[in-house]
Amino acid sequence: MDSDLFSRRRAERFAQLLDEANGGRRHHVRSRADDQLAALVAVGQRLRAGVPNVDVEPDFRTGLRAMLVATAEREGIGAPAATPEPAARRLAGAVTRSRLLPAVTGRRARARGAILVGIAAGAVAVSGISAASENAVPGDALYGMKRSTERAQLALASSDVSRGQLFLDFARTRLDEAASVRGDRAGFSGVLDDMDADTRQGVRLLTTASAQRSDPAALDTVNTFVSGQRRAVSGLLDDATRAEQDRTRRSLALLDAIRKRSDALRAAIACDLPVPTVSDALGPTPVRCPGD
């Protein structure tokens, strides 16, 4: 799970990468989050390159301005400097403050400012592009933007549980896309492959979080997803070709395996078994409770 400190550092690193991509000064540092943030930076670049002509409604402008002002106040962006301390107190630790605090505070303020500006510019652009790409399917011109937006959401997620839920949402989206490309054998199979990949990713994150916390709450999310998704996937069998039916049954088998894994983890948590040390594509593989 991401700590507040890591989230802040990731936000600062994103501001640096965005600045570099827009021709700013290069920062000679590397972060473990760079690979995740690269997708978000790419979205920013594509937004800058192709901002649509969008008529923004006055209500949207008002709401956006209120959000930005509230964020600025909460983060201290643009706040006046604090009243100077008495001379005696100011001298104590003067060397440390003079060497470290101005640089750190200035860098964080610039990072927050860059992110705030990015939110302002991105919100207006995404209001048009996201709406246009929301219903895009494989083969459409905006489908790449749709998937890039999903990767950006993952990069900004604050925890593994949030990322897991996003992956399951994306799996639902892939299912809707599959229904629209029926008749295209390769396209249909490819979308279901992506759906199953998103499903595994989301389930692995949620089952791992549940096992590590000894809390079945994340498993409830998994079970709710499986129940609804299985009914929807079964609908793809109607009026389908033999090849489409075979491919659909593979996705149904995956959902059945996920339900079994979820039930096994729930039982292990109820028995107070230790966190499983072995994992696979669906997350931890628990042992059976004594007496089962």
Side-chain angles (χ1 to χ4, degrees):
M1 182 183 300
D2 292 342
S3 65
D4 291 339
L5 177 61
F6 178 77
S7 295
R8 185 168 61 248
R9 288 178 176 173
R10 183 169 60 180
E12 293 172 357
R13 180 56 179 155
F14 168 62
Q16 292 176 347
L17 292 173
L18 191 61
D19 185 47
E20 292 176 7
N22 292 329
R25 181 176 64 86
R26 183 171 181 79
H27 300 79
H28 298 286
V29 295
R30 285 287 299 172
S31 167
R32 289 181 297 177
D34 282 5
D35 290 340
Q36 287 183 327
L37 294 176
L40 185 57
V41 173
V43 172
Q45 289 296 96
R46 296 178 69 175
L47 289 175
R48 287 175 62 88
V51 177
N53 294 322
V54 180
D55 293 329
V56 182
E57 296 181 356
D59 290 343
F60 176 81
R61 290 183 183 274
T62 302
L64 176 61
R65 183 180 184 280
M67 180 193 70
L68 295 176
V69 171
T71 302
E73 291 178 352
R74 184 176 65 252
E75 298 293 343
I77 300 173
T83 302
E85 297 179 354
R89 186 178 302 173
R90 190 168 61 248
L91 289 175
V95 173
T96 300
R97 285 197 297 271
S98 63
R99 291 181 179 178
L100 297 179
L101 289 184
V104 173
T105 303
R107 184 169 64 250
R108 288 179 180 172
R110 288 193 300 272
R112 290 170 178 172
I115 293 171
L116 196 59
V117 172
I119 292 174
V124 175
V126 170
S127 65
I129 293 179
S130 293
S133 66
E134 183 177 354
N135 296 322
V137 297
D140 289 350
L142 289 177
Y143 188 69
M145 174 59 71
K146 179 180 181 179
R147 299 301 295 268
S148 294
T149 302
E150 292 177 354
R151 290 191 291 270
Q153 290 179 265
L154 291 170
L156 287 177
S158 60
S159 69
D160 285 346
V161 171
S162 296
R163 274 189 287 275
Q165 292 170 338
L166 279 173
F167 271 118
L168 296 188
D169 287 341
F170 299 157
R172 295 185 181 99
T173 300
R174 301 290 86 79
L175 176 58
D176 293 338
E177 294 169 359
S180 66
V181 296
R182 292 176 64 170
D184 177 359
R185 179 175 178 178
F188 181 81
S189 180
V191 172
L192 289 191
D193 287 345
D194 289 345
M195 180 187 74
D196 290 349
D198 287 338
T199 298
R200 293 188 187 94
Q201 290 270 35
V203 168
R204 181 177 58 80
L205 288 168
L206 292 171
T207 55
T208 299
S210 184
Q212 291 176 344
R213 300 174 182 179
S214 296
D215 183 356
L219 299 179
D220 294 337
T221 301
V222 172
N223 288 355
T224 299
F225 166 78
V226 169
S227 297
Q229 190 79 343
R230 199 183 193 290
R231 286 194 299 270
V233 172
S234 296
L236 295 177
L237 294 172
D238 299 335
D239 300 324
T241 65
R242 175 64 66 84
E244 289 174 344
Q245 289 180 344
D246 291 343
R247 180 59 193 83
T248 300
R249 290 191 180 96
R250 285 164 50 192
S251 293
L252 290 172
L254 172 63
L255 294 172
D256 291 341
I258 290 170
R259 184 56 189 257
K260 291 180 181 179
R261 176 63 56 83
S262 176
D263 291 344
L265 281 170
R266 190 183 298 274
I269 292 173
C271 292
D272 292 326
L273 293 178
V275 177
T277 58
V278 180
S279 295
D280 59 16
L282 300 183
T285 56
V287 297
R288 291 186 177 183
C289 295
D292 286 354

